[in-house]
Structures are given as structure tokens and as C-alpha cells.
Amino acid sequence: VSSETSPPRIKYTFFLPKDVPFSKQKSSDKKSPFMAFKQRSAPDWVSEEWSTCSKSCGSGWQRRTVECRDEEGNVSTECERALRLEDIRPCGDVPCPLWQLGPWSSCSQTCGSGIRRRSALCMDYLGRVTEATKCPPSKEPTMVT
């Protein structure tokens, strides 16, 4: 199982003074050739919040900014591409409201010109009546003939 996971990416940094040779130092000189030993974390992917969905119903998209940043917060190119966070995702999978039509009424006249009526209700995906402005206006039915 441990062979399947990769070790964490850690960078170690140390500095050697230029004036110290790579030989044994005199015992009277207590200066260490290693001036600093600092563990540095690898750059990582950082994301902002998801945007609002491009649609309130139907199939829409959300986006966010994803950037590789180092430990100081500067943009970096050192992040592993395979671990990049998603920057787009689908949203708004709720079906849009639709017009539901009732039956036509009887004609108001037995001969000549008359009027027939029917109801038209805007219904959400749960079968509840909702505001007519939420249904597509281009598909609004005629209610009188």
C-alpha cells in the first residue's frame, strides 16, 4: 500500500559560507559550516470561491480561479499538473419551470363567434405553482381563442 502513494514533496535548503573549506575545522573555531537548515514546503494549488451558477435552472456552469502558489503566496510553476484543482463544474441541474395548460372551456356562444378559455400555470419541477416570470415567455400559451 505504501508503494502506491508518493512521498510528500519537501525541499530542504542549506547554505555554506564561501570562506570555509570542505576540510576539518580547527577545534578553536566553533563556527559550523552549516549556517541554516530550513524545511521548505512545495508549492501547492490554491483556489478562490466558486462563482454563482450561470443558470438558475437547467444546465449551467460555475468557475473559479486556480493558481499554483509557493509558501510566500507568489505565483509558481512548480506544482504538479496531475494534482491541479478543477476550475469549472456543472451546476443548476434543477429542471426549469414549464407552462402547464388546463382544458379548454366550452364555447361562450352556441352559434356565431364565441370565446373559449383555458388556464395556464407556471409549474416548478415539484409540481408547485410558481411566478409566471420564471417560465419561458417565448413559450407562453394563448389562453383565449
Side-chain angles (χ1 to χ4, degrees), residues 100-132:
Q100 182 174 354
L101 304 174
W104 285 107
S105 68
S106 301
C107 189
S108 61
Q109 299 290 324
T110 54
C111 72
S113 297
I115 296 176
R116 297 186 331 155
R117 298 180 188 272
R118 66 178 174 178
S119 64
L121 301 172
C122 183
M123 306 290 281
D124 69 13
Y125 73 101
L126 295 174
R128 297 179 301 206
V129 177
T130 187
E131 299 131 40

PDB file of all heavy atoms in Angstrom, residues 100-132:
ATOM      1  N   GLN A 100     -48.051  24.723 -17.637  1.00  0.00           N
ATOM      2  CA  GLN A 100     -48.988  23.599 -17.609  1.00  0.00           C
ATOM      3  C   GLN A 100     -50.361  24.161 -18.000  1.00  0.00           C
ATOM      4  O   GLN A 100     -50.855  25.100 -17.382  1.00  0.00           O
ATOM      5  CB  GLN A 100     -49.054  22.950 -16.227  1.00  0.00           C
ATOM      6  CG  GLN A 100     -49.990  21.761 -16.217  1.00  0.00           C
ATOM      7  CD  GLN A 100     -49.960  21.027 -14.880  1.00  0.00           C
ATOM      8  OE1 GLN A 100     -49.173  21.332 -14.014  1.00  0.00           O
ATOM      9  NE2 GLN A 100     -50.842  20.070 -14.741  1.00  0.00           N
ATOM     10  N   LEU A 101     -50.952  23.563 -19.046  1.00  0.00           N
ATOM     11  CA  LEU A 101     -52.217  24.070 -19.588  1.00  0.00           C
ATOM     12  C   LEU A 101     -53.396  23.251 -19.096  1.00  0.00           C
ATOM     13  O   LEU A 101     -53.329  22.020 -19.040  1.00  0.00           O
ATOM     14  CB  LEU A 101     -52.167  24.023 -21.111  1.00  0.00           C
ATOM     15  CG  LEU A 101     -50.992  24.761 -21.750  1.00  0.00           C
ATOM     16  CD1 LEU A 101     -50.975  24.523 -23.243  1.00  0.00           C
ATOM     17  CD2 LEU A 101     -51.059  26.231 -21.415  1.00  0.00           C
ATOM     18  N   GLY A 102     -54.473  23.971 -18.754  1.00  0.00           N
ATOM     19  CA  GLY A 102     -55.720  23.308 -18.381  1.00  0.00           C
ATOM     20  C   GLY A 102     -56.561  23.042 -19.625  1.00  0.00           C
ATOM     21  O   GLY A 102     -56.211  23.466 -20.730  1.00  0.00           O
ATOM     22  N   PRO A 103     -57.677  22.359 -19.465  1.00  0.00           N
ATOM     23  CA  PRO A 103     -58.538  22.064 -20.629  1.00  0.00           C
ATOM     24  C   PRO A 103     -59.276  23.326 -21.094  1.00  0.00           C
ATOM     25  O   PRO A 103     -59.484  24.263 -20.323  1.00  0.00           O
ATOM     26  CB  PRO A 103     -59.524  21.030 -20.074  1.00  0.00           C
ATOM     27  CG  PRO A 103     -59.566  21.302 -18.603  1.00  0.00           C
ATOM     28  CD  PRO A 103     -58.199  21.805 -18.221  1.00  0.00           C
ATOM     29  N   TRP A 104     -59.653  23.332 -22.377  1.00  0.00           N
ATOM     30  CA  TRP A 104     -60.426  24.449 -22.918  1.00  0.00           C
ATOM     31  C   TRP A 104     -61.835  24.409 -22.329  1.00  0.00           C
ATOM     32  O   TRP A 104     -62.395  23.342 -22.109  1.00  0.00           O
ATOM     33  CB  TRP A 104     -60.533  24.346 -24.441  1.00  0.00           C
ATOM     34  CG  TRP A 104     -59.255  24.709 -25.166  1.00  0.00           C
ATOM     35  CD1 TRP A 104     -58.415  23.867 -25.784  1.00  0.00           C
ATOM     36  CD2 TRP A 104     -58.710  26.020 -25.336  1.00  0.00           C
ATOM     37  NE1 TRP A 104     -57.363  24.548 -26.324  1.00  0.00           N
ATOM     38  CE2 TRP A 104     -57.528  25.888 -26.073  1.00  0.00           C
ATOM     39  CE3 TRP A 104     -59.119  27.300 -24.933  1.00  0.00           C
ATOM     40  CZ2 TRP A 104     -56.732  26.974 -26.419  1.00  0.00           C
ATOM     41  CZ3 TRP A 104     -58.326  28.385 -25.292  1.00  0.00           C
ATOM     42  CH2 TRP A 104     -57.149  28.220 -26.026  1.00  0.00           C
ATOM     43  N   SER A 105     -62.383  25.575 -22.069  1.00  0.00           N
ATOM     44  CA  SER A 105     -63.775  25.668 -21.597  1.00  0.00           C
ATOM     45  C   SER A 105     -64.711  25.476 -22.793  1.00  0.00           C
ATOM     46  O   SER A 105     -64.273  25.492 -23.935  1.00  0.00           O
ATOM     47  CB  SER A 105     -64.024  27.047 -20.956  1.00  0.00           C
ATOM     48  OG  SER A 105     -63.964  28.057 -21.943  1.00  0.00           O
ATOM     49  N   SER A 106     -65.970  25.341 -22.499  1.00  0.00           N
ATOM     50  CA  SER A 106     -66.972  25.296 -23.583  1.00  0.00           C
ATOM     51  C   SER A 106     -67.027  26.674 -24.223  1.00  0.00           C
ATOM     52  O   SER A 106     -66.687  27.685 -23.600  1.00  0.00           O
ATOM     53  CB  SER A 106     -68.353  24.951 -23.026  1.00  0.00           C
ATOM     54  OG  SER A 106     -68.301  23.706 -22.386  1.00  0.00           O
ATOM     55  N   CYS A 107     -67.495  26.713 -25.457  1.00  0.00           N
ATOM     56  CA  CYS A 107     -67.620  27.980 -26.186  1.00  0.00           C
ATOM     57  C   CYS A 107     -68.698  28.833 -25.515  1.00  0.00           C
ATOM     58  O   CYS A 107     -69.716  28.320 -25.047  1.00  0.00           O
ATOM     59  CB  CYS A 107     -67.973  27.709 -27.645  1.00  0.00           C
ATOM     60  SG  CYS A 107     -67.876  29.194 -28.664  1.00  0.00           S
ATOM     61  N   SER A 108     -68.445  30.136 -25.447  1.00  0.00           N
ATOM     62  CA  SER A 108     -69.407  31.050 -24.803  1.00  0.00           C
ATOM     63  C   SER A 108     -70.665  31.259 -25.652  1.00  0.00           C
ATOM     64  O   SER A 108     -71.674  31.732 -25.150  1.00  0.00           O
ATOM     65  CB  SER A 108     -68.738  32.403 -24.531  1.00  0.00           C
ATOM     66  OG  SER A 108     -68.317  32.989 -25.751  1.00  0.00           O
ATOM     67  N   GLN A 109     -70.642  30.863 -26.929  1.00  0.00           N
ATOM     68  CA  GLN A 109     -71.795  31.009 -27.826  1.00  0.00           C
ATOM     69  C   GLN A 109     -72.094  29.658 -28.462  1.00  0.00           C
ATOM     70  O   GLN A 109     -71.191  28.895 -28.761  1.00  0.00           O
ATOM     71  CB  GLN A 109     -71.493  32.022 -28.937  1.00  0.00           C
ATOM     72  CG  GLN A 109     -71.177  33.427 -28.468  1.00  0.00           C
ATOM     73  CD  GLN A 109     -72.404  34.120 -27.894  1.00  0.00           C
ATOM     74  OE1 GLN A 109     -73.537  33.935 -28.365  1.00  0.00           O
ATOM     75  NE2 GLN A 109     -72.195  34.903 -26.856  1.00  0.00           N
ATOM     76  N   THR A 110     -73.372  29.391 -28.682  1.00  0.00           N
ATOM     77  CA  THR A 110     -73.740  28.141 -29.355  1.00  0.00           C
ATOM     78  C   THR A 110     -73.690  28.290 -30.864  1.00  0.00           C
ATOM     79  O   THR A 110     -73.573  27.314 -31.586  1.00  0.00           O
ATOM     80  CB  THR A 110     -75.155  27.687 -28.928  1.00  0.00           C
ATOM     81  OG1 THR A 110     -76.059  28.759 -29.160  1.00  0.00           O
ATOM     82  CG2 THR A 110     -75.172  27.265 -27.487  1.00  0.00           C
ATOM     83  N   CYS A 111     -73.756  29.524 -31.369  1.00  0.00           N
ATOM     84  CA  CYS A 111     -73.585  29.748 -32.797  1.00  0.00           C
ATOM     85  C   CYS A 111     -72.926  31.106 -32.993  1.00  0.00           C
ATOM     86  O   CYS A 111     -72.974  31.967 -32.116  1.00  0.00           O
ATOM     87  CB  CYS A 111     -74.917  29.657 -33.550  1.00  0.00           C
ATOM     88  SG  CYS A 111     -76.023  31.033 -33.261  1.00  0.00           S
ATOM     89  N   GLY A 112     -72.255  31.280 -34.098  1.00  0.00           N
ATOM     90  CA  GLY A 112     -71.524  32.526 -34.348  1.00  0.00           C
ATOM     91  C   GLY A 112     -70.182  32.516 -33.613  1.00  0.00           C
ATOM     92  O   GLY A 112     -69.651  31.471 -33.261  1.00  0.00           O
ATOM     93  N   SER A 113     -69.645  33.703 -33.377  1.00  0.00           N
ATOM     94  CA  SER A 113     -68.335  33.818 -32.707  1.00  0.00           C
ATOM     95  C   SER A 113     -68.496  33.741 -31.204  1.00  0.00           C
ATOM     96  O   SER A 113     -69.349  34.410 -30.625  1.00  0.00           O
ATOM     97  CB  SER A 113     -67.682  35.153 -33.060  1.00  0.00           C
ATOM     98  OG  SER A 113     -67.425  35.254 -34.438  1.00  0.00           O
ATOM     99  N   GLY A 114     -67.673  32.969 -30.589  1.00  0.00           N
ATOM    100  CA  GLY A 114     -67.675  32.834 -29.136  1.00  0.00           C
ATOM    101  C   GLY A 114     -66.229  32.771 -28.621  1.00  0.00           C
ATOM    102  O   GLY A 114     -65.282  32.866 -29.380  1.00  0.00           O
ATOM    103  N   ILE A 115     -66.084  32.596 -27.349  1.00  0.00           N
ATOM    104  CA  ILE A 115     -64.747  32.543 -26.720  1.00  0.00           C
ATOM    105  C   ILE A 115     -64.625  31.265 -25.908  1.00  0.00           C
ATOM    106  O   ILE A 115     -65.562  30.856 -25.203  1.00  0.00           O
ATOM    107  CB  ILE A 115     -64.540  33.768 -25.803  1.00  0.00           C
ATOM    108  CG1 ILE A 115     -64.550  35.058 -26.620  1.00  0.00           C
ATOM    109  CG2 ILE A 115     -63.241  33.655 -25.023  1.00  0.00           C
ATOM    110  CD1 ILE A 115     -64.447  36.316 -25.776  1.00  0.00           C
ATOM    111  N   ARG A 116     -63.477  30.642 -26.023  1.00  0.00           N
ATOM    112  CA  ARG A 116     -63.124  29.501 -25.155  1.00  0.00           C
ATOM    113  C   ARG A 116     -61.899  29.909 -24.346  1.00  0.00           C
ATOM    114  O   ARG A 116     -61.014  30.579 -24.851  1.00  0.00           O
ATOM    115  CB  ARG A 116     -62.807  28.250 -25.978  1.00  0.00           C
ATOM    116  CG  ARG A 116     -64.001  27.764 -26.770  1.00  0.00           C
ATOM    117  CD  ARG A 116     -63.780  26.455 -27.490  1.00  0.00           C
ATOM    118  NE  ARG A 116     -62.402  26.177 -27.879  1.00  0.00           N
ATOM    119  CZ  ARG A 116     -61.928  24.945 -28.065  1.00  0.00           C
ATOM    120  NH1 ARG A 116     -62.713  23.904 -27.930  1.00  0.00           N
ATOM    121  NH2 ARG A 116     -60.689  24.753 -28.427  1.00  0.00           N
ATOM    122  N   ARG A 117     -61.843  29.505 -23.119  1.00  0.00           N
ATOM    123  CA  ARG A 117     -60.727  29.854 -22.217  1.00  0.00           C
ATOM    124  C   ARG A 117     -60.097  28.589 -21.648  1.00  0.00           C
ATOM    125  O   ARG A 117     -60.721  27.540 -21.595  1.00  0.00           O
ATOM    126  CB  ARG A 117     -61.236  30.722 -21.060  1.00  0.00           C
ATOM    127  CG  ARG A 117     -61.823  32.031 -21.490  1.00  0.00           C
ATOM    128  CD  ARG A 117     -62.307  32.804 -20.247  1.00  0.00           C
ATOM    129  NE  ARG A 117     -63.039  33.990 -20.623  1.00  0.00           N
ATOM    130  CZ  ARG A 117     -62.500  35.169 -20.855  1.00  0.00           C
ATOM    131  NH1 ARG A 117     -61.201  35.323 -20.764  1.00  0.00           N
ATOM    132  NH2 ARG A 117     -63.251  36.202 -21.198  1.00  0.00           N
ATOM    133  N   ARG A 118     -58.877  28.764 -21.229  1.00  0.00           N
ATOM    134  CA  ARG A 118     -58.168  27.700 -20.506  1.00  0.00           C
ATOM    135  C   ARG A 118     -57.169  28.340 -19.547  1.00  0.00           C
ATOM    136  O   ARG A 118     -56.753  29.483 -19.735  1.00  0.00           O
ATOM    137  CB  ARG A 118     -57.450  26.749 -21.455  1.00  0.00           C
ATOM    138  CG  ARG A 118     -56.310  27.366 -22.219  1.00  0.00           C
ATOM    139  CD  ARG A 118     -55.621  26.344 -23.096  1.00  0.00           C
ATOM    140  NE  ARG A 118     -54.609  27.001 -23.935  1.00  0.00           N
ATOM    141  CZ  ARG A 118     -53.838  26.366 -24.758  1.00  0.00           C
ATOM    142  NH1 ARG A 118     -53.959  25.048 -24.897  1.00  0.00           N
ATOM    143  NH2 ARG A 118     -52.950  26.997 -25.480  1.00  0.00           N
ATOM    144  N   SER A 119     -56.791  27.610 -18.539  1.00  0.00           N
ATOM    145  CA  SER A 119     -55.810  28.129 -17.580  1.00  0.00           C
ATOM    146  C   SER A 119     -54.407  27.749 -18.054  1.00  0.00           C
ATOM    147  O   SER A 119     -54.216  26.741 -18.738  1.00  0.00           O
ATOM    148  CB  SER A 119     -56.065  27.551 -16.182  1.00  0.00           C
ATOM    149  OG  SER A 119     -55.882  26.148 -16.197  1.00  0.00           O
ATOM    150  N   ALA A 120     -53.461  28.586 -17.703  1.00  0.00           N
ATOM    151  CA  ALA A 120     -52.048  28.314 -17.975  1.00  0.00           C
ATOM    152  C   ALA A 120     -51.287  28.680 -16.713  1.00  0.00           C
ATOM    153  O   ALA A 120     -51.292  29.838 -16.290  1.00  0.00           O
ATOM    154  CB  ALA A 120     -51.560  29.117 -19.160  1.00  0.00           C
ATOM    155  N   LEU A 121     -50.691  27.676 -16.084  1.00  0.00           N
ATOM    156  CA  LEU A 121     -49.965  27.894 -14.838  1.00  0.00           C
ATOM    157  C   LEU A 121     -48.487  27.581 -15.032  1.00  0.00           C
ATOM    158  O   LEU A 121     -48.122  26.619 -15.720  1.00  0.00           O
ATOM    159  CB  LEU A 121     -50.531  27.000 -13.731  1.00  0.00           C
ATOM    160  CG  LEU A 121     -52.016  27.180 -13.405  1.00  0.00           C
ATOM    161  CD1 LEU A 121     -52.471  26.104 -12.441  1.00  0.00           C
ATOM    162  CD2 LEU A 121     -52.248  28.564 -12.815  1.00  0.00           C
ATOM    163  N   CYS A 122     -47.652  28.385 -14.424  1.00  0.00           N
ATOM    164  CA  CYS A 122     -46.211  28.115 -14.441  1.00  0.00           C
ATOM    165  C   CYS A 122     -45.932  27.184 -13.258  1.00  0.00           C
ATOM    166  O   CYS A 122     -46.192  27.520 -12.101  1.00  0.00           O
ATOM    167  CB  CYS A 122     -45.432  29.428 -14.309  1.00  0.00           C
ATOM    168  SG  CYS A 122     -43.653  29.223 -14.412  1.00  0.00           S
ATOM    169  N   MET A 123     -45.380  25.993 -13.575  1.00  0.00           N
ATOM    170  CA  MET A 123     -45.157  24.964 -12.539  1.00  0.00           C
ATOM    171  C   MET A 123     -43.671  24.647 -12.422  1.00  0.00           C
ATOM    172  O   MET A 123     -42.985  24.493 -13.430  1.00  0.00           O
ATOM    173  CB  MET A 123     -45.905  23.685 -12.905  1.00  0.00           C
ATOM    174  CG  MET A 123     -47.388  23.869 -13.181  1.00  0.00           C
ATOM    175  SD  MET A 123     -48.331  24.253 -11.718  1.00  0.00           S
ATOM    176  CE  MET A 123     -48.480  22.664 -10.980  1.00  0.00           C
ATOM    177  N   ASP A 124     -43.200  24.527 -11.167  1.00  0.00           N
ATOM    178  CA  ASP A 124     -41.806  24.124 -10.970  1.00  0.00           C
ATOM    179  C   ASP A 124     -41.689  22.602 -11.064  1.00  0.00           C
ATOM    180  O   ASP A 124     -42.694  21.903 -11.242  1.00  0.00           O
ATOM    181  CB  ASP A 124     -41.251  24.679  -9.662  1.00  0.00           C
ATOM    182  CG  ASP A 124     -41.870  24.059  -8.403  1.00  0.00           C
ATOM    183  OD1 ASP A 124     -42.562  23.025  -8.492  1.00  0.00           O
ATOM    184  OD2 ASP A 124     -41.650  24.621  -7.313  1.00  0.00           O
ATOM    185  N   TYR A 125     -40.481  22.079 -10.932  1.00  0.00           N
ATOM    186  CA  TYR A 125     -40.255  20.641 -11.118  1.00  0.00           C
ATOM    187  C   TYR A 125     -40.887  19.778 -10.023  1.00  0.00           C
ATOM    188  O   TYR A 125     -41.024  18.572 -10.186  1.00  0.00           O
ATOM    189  CB  TYR A 125     -38.754  20.349 -11.234  1.00  0.00           C
ATOM    190  CG  TYR A 125     -37.992  20.452  -9.938  1.00  0.00           C
ATOM    191  CD1 TYR A 125     -37.644  19.316  -9.220  1.00  0.00           C
ATOM    192  CD2 TYR A 125     -37.600  21.684  -9.426  1.00  0.00           C
ATOM    193  CE1 TYR A 125     -36.953  19.397  -8.038  1.00  0.00           C
ATOM    194  CE2 TYR A 125     -36.891  21.787  -8.256  1.00  0.00           C
ATOM    195  CZ  TYR A 125     -36.567  20.636  -7.564  1.00  0.00           C
ATOM    196  OH  TYR A 125     -35.874  20.730  -6.396  1.00  0.00           O
ATOM    197  N   LEU A 126     -41.326  20.400  -8.928  1.00  0.00           N
ATOM    198  CA  LEU A 126     -42.013  19.657  -7.868  1.00  0.00           C
ATOM    199  C   LEU A 126     -43.530  19.699  -8.033  1.00  0.00           C
ATOM    200  O   LEU A 126     -44.261  19.165  -7.212  1.00  0.00           O
ATOM    201  CB  LEU A 126     -41.628  20.211  -6.491  1.00  0.00           C
ATOM    202  CG  LEU A 126     -40.157  20.031  -6.102  1.00  0.00           C
ATOM    203  CD1 LEU A 126     -39.868  20.749  -4.794  1.00  0.00           C
ATOM    204  CD2 LEU A 126     -39.813  18.551  -5.986  1.00  0.00           C
ATOM    205  N   GLY A 127     -44.006  20.359  -9.099  1.00  0.00           N
ATOM    206  CA  GLY A 127     -45.441  20.441  -9.349  1.00  0.00           C
ATOM    207  C   GLY A 127     -46.113  21.588  -8.619  1.00  0.00           C
ATOM    208  O   GLY A 127     -47.335  21.629  -8.522  1.00  0.00           O
ATOM    209  N   ARG A 128     -45.346  22.520  -8.107  1.00  0.00           N
ATOM    210  CA  ARG A 128     -45.919  23.679  -7.400  1.00  0.00           C
ATOM    211  C   ARG A 128     -46.050  24.853  -8.356  1.00  0.00           C
ATOM    212  O   ARG A 128     -45.202  25.072  -9.215  1.00  0.00           O
ATOM    213  CB  ARG A 128     -45.009  24.088  -6.230  1.00  0.00           C
ATOM    214  CG  ARG A 128     -44.890  23.007  -5.159  1.00  0.00           C
ATOM    215  CD  ARG A 128     -43.974  23.467  -4.064  1.00  0.00           C
ATOM    216  NE  ARG A 128     -42.650  23.766  -4.638  1.00  0.00           N
ATOM    217  CZ  ARG A 128     -41.523  23.711  -3.956  1.00  0.00           C
ATOM    218  NH1 ARG A 128     -41.525  23.394  -2.681  1.00  0.00           N
ATOM    219  NH2 ARG A 128     -40.368  23.998  -4.542  1.00  0.00           N
ATOM    220  N   VAL A 129     -47.119  25.626  -8.165  1.00  0.00           N
ATOM    221  CA  VAL A 129     -47.316  26.843  -8.967  1.00  0.00           C
ATOM    222  C   VAL A 129     -46.262  27.860  -8.534  1.00  0.00           C
ATOM    223  O   VAL A 129     -46.028  28.069  -7.347  1.00  0.00           O
ATOM    224  CB  VAL A 129     -48.736  27.413  -8.765  1.00  0.00           C
ATOM    225  CG1 VAL A 129     -48.910  28.719  -9.529  1.00  0.00           C
ATOM    226  CG2 VAL A 129     -49.779  26.398  -9.197  1.00  0.00           C
ATOM    227  N   THR A 130     -45.618  28.474  -9.528  1.00  0.00           N
ATOM    228  CA  THR A 130     -44.605  29.488  -9.251  1.00  0.00           C
ATOM    229  C   THR A 130     -44.897  30.719 -10.097  1.00  0.00           C
ATOM    230  O   THR A 130     -45.845  30.727 -10.889  1.00  0.00           O
ATOM    231  CB  THR A 130     -43.187  28.928  -9.509  1.00  0.00           C
ATOM    232  OG1 THR A 130     -42.222  29.873  -9.088  1.00  0.00           O
ATOM    233  CG2 THR A 130     -42.971  28.573 -10.964  1.00  0.00           C
ATOM    234  N   GLU A 131     -44.101  31.779  -9.949  1.00  0.00           N
ATOM    235  CA  GLU A 131     -44.339  33.019 -10.679  1.00  0.00           C
ATOM    236  C   GLU A 131     -44.223  32.790 -12.187  1.00  0.00           C
ATOM    237  O   GLU A 131     -43.341  32.085 -12.642  1.00  0.00           O
ATOM    238  CB  GLU A 131     -43.317  34.076 -10.267  1.00  0.00           C
ATOM    239  CG  GLU A 131     -43.360  34.436  -8.798  1.00  0.00           C
ATOM    240  CD  GLU A 131     -41.961  34.406  -8.194  1.00  0.00           C
ATOM    241  OE1 GLU A 131     -41.017  34.854  -8.862  1.00  0.00           O
ATOM    242  OE2 GLU A 131     -41.836  33.930  -7.069  1.00  0.00           O
ATOM    243  N   ALA A 132     -45.111  33.430 -12.938  1.00  0.00           N
ATOM    244  CA  ALA A 132     -45.113  33.290 -14.394  1.00  0.00           C
ATOM    245  C   ALA A 132     -43.810  33.779 -15.017  1.00  0.00           C
ATOM    246  O   ALA A 132     -43.393  33.303 -16.066  1.00  0.00           O
ATOM    247  CB  ALA A 132     -46.299  34.045 -14.986  1.00  0.00           C
TER     248      ALA A 132
END
